[in-house]
Amino acid sequence: MPPGPHPLLAQIPLTVSPFISLPSAPTLPYTYHPLPSTLPPSATADSNGNEREKIVVSQSGHAASPEDIIASCQALQAHIEKMQEDAERTIREWEDNLREEQLAEKRRLAPGWLDRDEKILQPAKMAAGSTVPGQGQSANLMDQQADETSDAKMQQPAPSREGDELDRAFGSMAMS
């Protein structure tokens, strides 16, 4: 190696300032070799360059290349996302079915209640002389119930006094 600065180091311009003392240029060792202009072939590729070597080895003995590991991680992430979407869709369907069942039950209990804006229930008024189809009686249900209760009262015996019932149950006690 010729004495003097290296050609690359000689290309660096230096400035001179009275306030700064620059270090002197290092001298390169005799074993210094510049980098080659071409790089050697990749250490992870086969001689053909087609298949990568398995450079990552697990404790179980399974070997894989970094590209294989990245591909399996991406496939796992896609599988997890698909499973999550399926689970969320199933939950939405279940909630929708539950809501529909509850709505159907409410409509069964009170038909027309949920289908209107007005929420006050009022009985339908019928004409005074109209009859219920299939019956030759008046349509007023309150009259029918009153007639039935008066008939039932006539058929029942008059209740006795409560004291008499107690005397029969426990026997009479004479006060002396």
Side-chain angles (χ1 to χ4, degrees):
M1 192 149 198
H6 188 272
L8 291 176
L9 293 176
Q11 294 177 5
I12 299 173
L14 298 176
T15 58
V16 178
S17 171
F19 305 108
I20 297 175
S21 60
L22 296 176
S24 60
T27 56
L28 297 175
Y30 292 108
T31 58
Y32 174 76
H33 296 288
L35 289 174
S37 61
T38 61
L39 293 176
S42 173
T44 60
D46 280 346
S47 59
N48 298 340
N50 294 339
E51 187 178 328
R52 298 276 181 188
E53 291 183 26
K54 311 293 185 188
I55 58 171
V56 179
V57 180
S58 68
Q59 291 179 350
S60 65
H62 179 72
S65 67
E67 290 83 12
D68 295 340
I69 294 172
I70 291 171
S72 68
C73 288
Q74 290 172 345
L76 178 63
Q77 184 178 8
H79 177 69
I80 289 173
E81 288 174 357
K82 181 183 175 289
M83 287 180 58
Q84 184 175 4
E85 290 172 3
D86 291 345
E88 288 173 355
R89 185 177 351 97
T90 303
I91 290 172
R92 276 194 306 271
E93 289 173 358
W94 178 75
E95 288 173 347
D96 291 342
N97 288 341
L98 185 63
R99 215 174 292 119
E100 288 174 7
E101 287 175 6
Q102 290 174 347
L103 186 63
E105 180 67 17
K106 289 176 185 176
R107 283 199 170 123
R108 186 185 69 78
L109 293 176
W113 174 259
L114 299 173
D115 300 329
R116 294 184 177 173
D117 290 335
E118 55 205 38
K119 296 296 181 192
I120 299 174
L121 293 178
Q122 294 179 348
K125 298 184 181 188
M126 300 183 73
S130 67
T131 60
V132 176
Q135 296 178 355
Q137 305 171 4
S138 97
N140 193 344
L141 294 177
M142 295 302 285
D143 292 339
Q144 290 176 358
Q145 290 176 356
D147 292 341
E148 290 173 4
T149 55
S150 64
D151 292 341
K153 285 182 183 178
M154 288 181 193
Q155 293 173 357
Q156 293 178 352
S160 62
R161 292 185 9 211
E162 293 176 358
D164 293 340
E165 291 178 12
L166 287 174
D167 285 343
R168 271 182 284 166
F170 295 106
S172 62
M173 295 176 51
M175 300 284 279
S176 51

